[in-house]
Amino acid sequence: MQEYRDIVVIAGIPGVGKTTVVEEAVKKLKTYKIVNFGDVMFEIAKSEGLVKHRDDMRKLSPETQKKIQRHAAKKIAGMAADSNIIVDTHISIKTPKGYLPGLPLWVLEELEPTKIVIIDATAEEIFLRRKRDNTRRRDDESLESIKFHQRYNIYLAASYSMVSGATVSIVYNKEGKILEAVKELTSILEQD
Amino acid sequence: MQEYRDIVVIAGIPGVGKTTVVEEAVKKLKTYKIVNFGDVMFEIAKSEGLVKHRDDMRKLSPETQKKIQRHAAKKIAGMAADSNIIVDTHISIKTPKGYLPGLPLWVLEELEPTKIVIIDATAEEIFLRRKRDNTRRRDDESLESIKFHQRYNIYLAASYSMVSGATVSIVYNKEGKILEAVKELTSILEQD
Amino acid sequence: MQEYRDIVVIAGIPGVGKTTVVEEAVKKLKTYKIVNFGDVMFEIAKSEGLVKHRDDMRKLSPETQKKIQRHAAKKIAGMAADSNIIVDTHISIKTPKGYLPGLPLWVLEELEPTKIVIIDATAEEIFLRRKRDNTRRRDDESLESIKFHQRYNIYLAASYSMVSGATVSIVYNKEGKILEAVKELTSILEQD
């Protein structure tokens, strides 16, 4: 049993297979609740009458987005009073104007995560999983670009760790070895 | 037309050809004003009677330098009321005591940049451009050392992004392909 | 003579030979006092009756640990009134839950280091030095894992630099060339 509530940020770029690994680990442990950061932001914006559809979120002014991010972080930190929390989010988001930080300072100050876990895979595996994935439309990204995003996320995660004191670890979700990834994630979650 | 004023930090180590790329992009867009961070710092220090020549700047005490940096950042942020701003500066400066951060926390807090763009090139191109450059005297730096500086600047830029929420992108200024670099920079600047 | 007191963080992962390099440099310069961050934390915790043995330190609650870290940083910053200080510490500590930051924001805010020096070596040298080292028990870590820790420390150091304004440099302690490493460190320490 853990003595302190855990707020664990779990991130991974599209195609690493994050959802499956996280859901399996939570099924095993039963003491974690998964919260999607983007969902919480959308609910807040909708309840305040700022947006109707999720696509409208990015049309909000930077100041409004910042306010909603902070609000969402506060709300999630509050949930940790009852349960350990896994925050499903992104270290960075690739946009036409560059890499946008998923957890800027004002989010980290409210959220105060205890652990940051990056789910990763080789760029080649990510590339192939994206090709195979027919349910979601994804832009074709080159191997080089995928590799840069993977490296860049570790640089950003280091700075998130400096601000929050959270530990940073990487769990590799190798092709055909999902149980190993689940085991590794479970073991990290179980650490005090 | 952009709805919000843009404060874009553009940096690149000596030899990447930053000045040409930035000036060409600004000629095309016409909505950006270029400000050199070091120039603004020097003007402030001179007007306060602290220095006469630019070389005297580094002789100022760390506390005084910090104050002038903060003042310069505030002044530049103020200019963004009238125009989009490009801040020409450095991610880090190589000094005999190590890499000095160009945009420490107290600068980022005042400046609040919206985008950070690193102009880059291959280490070999940078090495050759420095050799060819007869107008400015530059210390001979090894390829290895240039490569480290390039990588290190991306690590630092990630932490600048975490604090400010600014996006980070890299524009490659390839030999003989300056128009491509200008086009890419222009496209980043045009993004809301 | 330096005009301003220097607070120099010196770090290096186990096996780089940090202690010898630092002690030799201090013998040469005579103007620096070495302080071990972990020792200062332990003294504080012991004097407050929180722990008896060093191993008990990590059993303290995160909040208590944070308070002691901050206290230690303040105490060390205070010592810099009389002498230049070298803070012997870690950029990050490898734990079962991931890499823990050695100098989180609240430490940097109190400590305000002026220079950060990472003592490094090749992963192969570190691996062999750890094998040879019989006095301390160390977990066998793979070359790949050592290499990741080395890279990750540079990412973290970049973010420490952003917050504090400290310069970052790396001193390589090559096998059989310790005098060169001592000379390089001495030269960095002597810089204003």
mmCIF file of all heavy atoms in Angstrom, chain B residues 9-10 17-18 20 31 39 46 63 73 76 78-79 86-87 90 97 103-104 107 132 135 155 160 176-178:
data_model
loop_
_atom_site.group_PDB
_atom_site.id
_atom_site.type_symbol
_atom_site.label_atom_id
_atom_site.label_comp_id
_atom_site.label_asym_id
_atom_site.label_seq_id
_atom_site.Cartn_x
_atom_site.Cartn_y
_atom_site.Cartn_z
ATOM 1 N N VAL B 9 10.859 34.339 -30.788
ATOM 2 C CA VAL B 9 12.296 34.272 -30.550
ATOM 3 C C VAL B 9 12.928 33.511 -31.710
ATOM 4 O O VAL B 9 12.497 32.396 -32.021
ATOM 5 C CB VAL B 9 12.589 33.542 -29.218
ATOM 6 C CG1 VAL B 9 14.054 33.138 -29.129
ATOM 7 C CG2 VAL B 9 12.186 34.422 -28.039
ATOM 8 N N ILE B 10 13.883 34.136 -32.383
ATOM 9 C CA ILE B 10 14.601 33.413 -33.439
ATOM 10 C C ILE B 10 16.080 33.378 -33.079
ATOM 11 O O ILE B 10 16.694 34.420 -32.807
ATOM 12 C CB ILE B 10 14.370 34.035 -34.827
ATOM 13 C CG1 ILE B 10 12.844 34.093 -35.127
ATOM 14 C CG2 ILE B 10 15.080 33.210 -35.910
ATOM 15 C CD1 ILE B 10 12.472 34.385 -36.558
ATOM 16 N N GLY B 17 23.525 31.293 -40.726
ATOM 17 C CA GLY B 17 22.939 32.190 -41.731
ATOM 18 C C GLY B 17 21.602 32.755 -41.286
ATOM 19 O O GLY B 17 20.739 33.032 -42.116
ATOM 20 N N LYS B 18 21.460 32.939 -39.999
ATOM 21 C CA LYS B 18 20.195 33.411 -39.420
ATOM 22 C C LYS B 18 19.736 34.749 -40.002
ATOM 23 O O LYS B 18 18.582 34.886 -40.429
ATOM 24 C CB LYS B 18 20.372 33.539 -37.903
ATOM 25 C CG LYS B 18 19.144 34.024 -37.156
ATOM 26 C CD LYS B 18 19.391 34.065 -35.642
ATOM 27 C CE LYS B 18 20.550 34.996 -35.291
ATOM 28 N NZ LYS B 18 20.673 35.212 -33.830
ATOM 29 N N THR B 20 20.183 36.476 -42.783
ATOM 30 C CA THR B 20 19.603 36.496 -44.137
ATOM 31 C C THR B 20 18.215 35.862 -44.148
ATOM 32 O O THR B 20 17.268 36.429 -44.716
ATOM 33 C CB THR B 20 20.512 35.720 -45.125
ATOM 34 O OG1 THR B 20 21.884 35.939 -44.768
ATOM 35 C CG2 THR B 20 20.269 36.151 -46.549
ATOM 36 N N THR B 31 4.721 42.248 -41.622
ATOM 37 C CA THR B 31 3.996 42.515 -40.374
ATOM 38 C C THR B 31 4.858 42.275 -39.132
ATOM 39 O O THR B 31 4.351 42.297 -38.010
ATOM 40 C CB THR B 31 2.746 41.622 -40.286
ATOM 41 O OG1 THR B 31 3.169 40.269 -40.519
ATOM 42 C CG2 THR B 31 1.727 42.009 -41.329
ATOM 43 N N ASP B 39 21.133 44.364 -28.491
ATOM 44 C CA ASP B 39 21.093 45.801 -28.768
ATOM 45 C C ASP B 39 20.242 46.534 -27.738
ATOM 46 O O ASP B 39 20.628 47.594 -27.240
ATOM 47 C CB ASP B 39 20.485 46.069 -30.164
ATOM 48 C CG ASP B 39 21.443 45.688 -31.296
ATOM 49 O OD1 ASP B 39 22.618 45.364 -30.998
ATOM 50 O OD2 ASP B 39 21.004 45.705 -32.471
ATOM 51 N N LYS B 46 23.581 51.833 -21.587
ATOM 52 C CA LYS B 46 24.220 53.094 -21.977
ATOM 53 C C LYS B 46 23.403 54.266 -21.453
ATOM 54 O O LYS B 46 23.957 55.208 -20.883
ATOM 55 C CB LYS B 46 24.360 53.165 -23.505
ATOM 56 C CG LYS B 46 25.626 53.893 -23.951
ATOM 57 C CD LYS B 46 25.917 53.743 -25.427
ATOM 58 C CE LYS B 46 24.781 54.259 -26.297
ATOM 59 N NZ LYS B 46 25.140 54.249 -27.738
ATOM 60 N N GLU B 63 24.231 40.677 -10.967
ATOM 61 C CA GLU B 63 22.958 41.267 -10.541
ATOM 62 C C GLU B 63 22.509 42.381 -11.489
ATOM 63 O O GLU B 63 21.342 42.485 -11.855
ATOM 64 C CB GLU B 63 23.060 41.801 -9.098
ATOM 65 C CG GLU B 63 22.629 40.796 -8.056
ATOM 66 C CD GLU B 63 21.417 39.950 -8.480
ATOM 67 O OE1 GLU B 63 20.355 40.516 -8.753
ATOM 68 O OE2 GLU B 63 21.559 38.711 -8.568
ATOM 69 N N ALA B 73 13.653 42.681 -21.681
ATOM 70 C CA ALA B 73 12.540 41.775 -22.013
ATOM 71 C C ALA B 73 11.205 42.505 -21.880
ATOM 72 O O ALA B 73 10.318 42.370 -22.727
ATOM 73 C CB ALA B 73 12.579 40.553 -21.095
ATOM 74 N N ILE B 76 10.744 44.959 -24.810
ATOM 75 C CA ILE B 76 10.399 44.276 -26.067
ATOM 76 C C ILE B 76 8.952 43.781 -26.022
ATOM 77 O O ILE B 76 8.206 43.919 -26.991
ATOM 78 C CB ILE B 76 11.381 43.112 -26.346
ATOM 79 C CG1 ILE B 76 12.790 43.680 -26.589
ATOM 80 C CG2 ILE B 76 10.927 42.292 -27.539
ATOM 81 C CD1 ILE B 76 13.886 42.640 -26.637
ATOM 82 N N GLY B 78 6.613 45.134 -24.522
ATOM 83 C CA GLY B 78 5.801 46.337 -24.707
ATOM 84 C C GLY B 78 5.651 46.719 -26.170
ATOM 85 O O GLY B 78 4.599 47.185 -26.605
ATOM 86 N N MET B 79 6.712 46.499 -26.947
ATOM 87 C CA MET B 79 6.675 46.816 -28.379
ATOM 88 C C MET B 79 5.626 45.985 -29.108
ATOM 89 O O MET B 79 5.135 46.367 -30.166
ATOM 90 C CB MET B 79 8.033 46.516 -29.021
ATOM 91 C CG MET B 79 9.166 47.386 -28.551
ATOM 92 S SD MET B 79 10.733 46.807 -29.331
ATOM 93 C CE MET B 79 11.930 47.758 -28.373
ATOM 94 N N ILE B 86 9.925 39.986 -33.840
ATOM 95 C CA ILE B 86 10.907 38.911 -33.898
ATOM 96 C C ILE B 86 12.060 39.320 -32.994
ATOM 97 O O ILE B 86 12.634 40.398 -33.180
ATOM 98 C CB ILE B 86 11.411 38.667 -35.335
ATOM 99 C CG1 ILE B 86 10.351 37.908 -36.134
ATOM 100 C CG2 ILE B 86 12.734 37.886 -35.333
ATOM 101 C CD1 ILE B 86 10.654 37.764 -37.605
ATOM 102 N N VAL B 87 12.374 38.488 -32.017
ATOM 103 C CA VAL B 87 13.489 38.783 -31.124
ATOM 104 C C VAL B 87 14.697 37.981 -31.595
ATOM 105 O O VAL B 87 14.709 36.750 -31.510
ATOM 106 C CB VAL B 87 13.159 38.436 -29.659
ATOM 107 C CG1 VAL B 87 14.270 38.916 -28.738
ATOM 108 C CG2 VAL B 87 11.821 39.021 -29.250
ATOM 109 N N HIS B 90 20.067 34.563 -28.729
ATOM 110 C CA HIS B 90 20.729 33.263 -28.698
ATOM 111 C C HIS B 90 20.056 32.343 -27.688
ATOM 112 O O HIS B 90 19.658 32.795 -26.623
ATOM 113 C CB HIS B 90 22.207 33.424 -28.316
ATOM 114 C CG HIS B 90 22.957 34.219 -29.330
ATOM 115 N ND1 HIS B 90 23.336 33.691 -30.532
ATOM 116 C CD2 HIS B 90 23.360 35.509 -29.337
ATOM 117 C CE1 HIS B 90 23.959 34.617 -31.248
ATOM 118 N NE2 HIS B 90 23.986 35.733 -30.548
ATOM 119 N N LYS B 97 33.429 29.611 -19.326
ATOM 120 C CA LYS B 97 32.952 28.895 -18.140
ATOM 121 C C LYS B 97 31.769 27.969 -18.439
ATOM 122 O O LYS B 97 31.195 27.385 -17.536
ATOM 123 C CB LYS B 97 32.628 29.858 -16.993
ATOM 124 C CG LYS B 97 31.602 30.918 -17.291
ATOM 125 C CD LYS B 97 31.396 31.823 -16.057
ATOM 126 C CE LYS B 97 30.560 33.047 -16.439
ATOM 127 N NZ LYS B 97 30.205 33.875 -15.295
ATOM 128 N N LEU B 103 18.055 32.948 -22.604
ATOM 129 C CA LEU B 103 16.715 33.332 -22.147
ATOM 130 C C LEU B 103 16.417 32.695 -20.796
ATOM 131 O O LEU B 103 15.566 31.801 -20.688
ATOM 132 C CB LEU B 103 15.660 32.892 -23.171
ATOM 133 C CG LEU B 103 15.768 33.536 -24.556
ATOM 134 C CD1 LEU B 103 15.117 32.657 -25.619
ATOM 135 C CD2 LEU B 103 15.110 34.908 -24.553
ATOM 136 N N PRO B 104 17.097 33.161 -19.733
ATOM 137 C CA PRO B 104 16.817 32.579 -18.416
ATOM 138 C C PRO B 104 15.385 32.922 -17.973
ATOM 139 O O PRO B 104 14.727 33.768 -18.575
ATOM 140 C CB PRO B 104 17.861 33.239 -17.514
ATOM 141 C CG PRO B 104 18.308 34.462 -18.244
ATOM 142 C CD PRO B 104 18.136 34.183 -19.689
ATOM 143 N N VAL B 107 13.879 36.401 -17.930
ATOM 144 C CA VAL B 107 13.635 36.985 -19.259
ATOM 145 C C VAL B 107 12.330 36.423 -19.834
ATOM 146 O O VAL B 107 11.472 37.162 -20.330
ATOM 147 C CB VAL B 107 14.821 36.708 -20.211
ATOM 148 C CG1 VAL B 107 14.454 37.049 -21.659
ATOM 149 C CG2 VAL B 107 16.047 37.497 -19.784
ATOM 150 N N ARG B 132 34.758 30.680 -44.110
ATOM 151 C CA ARG B 132 34.632 31.627 -45.222
ATOM 152 C C ARG B 132 34.407 33.053 -44.757
ATOM 153 O O ARG B 132 34.723 34.009 -45.450
ATOM 154 C CB ARG B 132 33.411 31.225 -46.072
ATOM 155 C CG ARG B 132 33.757 30.433 -47.322
ATOM 156 C CD ARG B 132 32.509 30.225 -48.136
ATOM 157 N NE ARG B 132 31.858 28.960 -47.800
ATOM 158 C CZ ARG B 132 30.547 28.761 -47.771
ATOM 159 N NH1 ARG B 132 29.716 29.751 -48.042
ATOM 160 N NH2 ARG B 132 30.058 27.583 -47.468
ATOM 161 N N THR B 135 34.581 38.732 -42.370
ATOM 162 C CA THR B 135 34.230 40.025 -41.764
ATOM 163 C C THR B 135 34.234 39.988 -40.240
ATOM 164 O O THR B 135 34.519 40.965 -39.591
ATOM 165 C CB THR B 135 32.847 40.490 -42.241
ATOM 166 O OG1 THR B 135 31.898 39.456 -41.911
ATOM 167 C CG2 THR B 135 32.830 40.701 -43.747
ATOM 168 N N TYR B 155 17.849 21.197 -26.189
ATOM 169 C CA TYR B 155 17.483 20.851 -24.807
ATOM 170 C C TYR B 155 17.006 22.106 -24.068
ATOM 171 O O TYR B 155 15.986 22.104 -23.378
ATOM 172 C CB TYR B 155 18.657 20.258 -24.000
ATOM 173 C CG TYR B 155 19.442 19.184 -24.687
ATOM 174 C CD1 TYR B 155 20.779 18.943 -24.336
ATOM 175 C CD2 TYR B 155 18.890 18.381 -25.684
ATOM 176 C CE1 TYR B 155 21.529 17.953 -24.935
ATOM 177 C CE2 TYR B 155 19.644 17.391 -26.303
ATOM 178 C CZ TYR B 155 20.953 17.182 -25.927
ATOM 179 O OH TYR B 155 21.705 16.208 -26.535
ATOM 180 N N TYR B 160 12.668 26.303 -22.240
ATOM 181 C CA TYR B 160 12.072 27.634 -22.470
ATOM 182 C C TYR B 160 10.595 27.486 -22.834
ATOM 183 O O TYR B 160 9.747 28.301 -22.450
ATOM 184 C CB TYR B 160 12.784 28.363 -23.622
ATOM 185 C CG TYR B 160 14.236 28.721 -23.405
ATOM 186 C CD1 TYR B 160 15.025 29.188 -24.461
ATOM 187 C CD2 TYR B 160 14.836 28.619 -22.156
ATOM 188 C CE1 TYR B 160 16.351 29.542 -24.284
ATOM 189 C CE2 TYR B 160 16.165 28.957 -21.972
ATOM 190 C CZ TYR B 160 16.923 29.415 -23.044
ATOM 191 O OH TYR B 160 18.235 29.760 -22.872
ATOM 192 N N GLY B 176 22.677 26.558 -50.374
ATOM 193 C CA GLY B 176 22.079 26.759 -51.698
ATOM 194 C C GLY B 176 20.562 26.654 -51.735
ATOM 195 O O GLY B 176 19.950 26.702 -52.794
ATOM 196 N N LYS B 177 19.929 26.498 -50.540
ATOM 197 C CA LYS B 177 18.464 26.332 -50.504
ATOM 198 C C LYS B 177 17.827 27.372 -49.582
ATOM 199 O O LYS B 177 16.865 27.074 -48.863
ATOM 200 C CB LYS B 177 18.101 24.929 -49.992
ATOM 201 C CG LYS B 177 18.792 23.797 -50.722
ATOM 202 C CD LYS B 177 17.834 23.085 -51.645
ATOM 203 C CE LYS B 177 18.537 21.893 -52.278
ATOM 204 N NZ LYS B 177 17.654 21.168 -53.184
ATOM 205 N N ILE B 178 18.374 28.576 -49.621
ATOM 206 C CA ILE B 178 17.886 29.586 -48.681
ATOM 207 C C ILE B 178 16.405 29.900 -48.878
ATOM 208 O O ILE B 178 15.694 30.160 -47.897
ATOM 209 C CB ILE B 178 18.754 30.862 -48.732
ATOM 210 C CG1 ILE B 178 18.394 31.763 -47.555
ATOM 211 C CG2 ILE B 178 18.589 31.605 -50.056
ATOM 212 C CD1 ILE B 178 19.391 32.836 -47.272
#
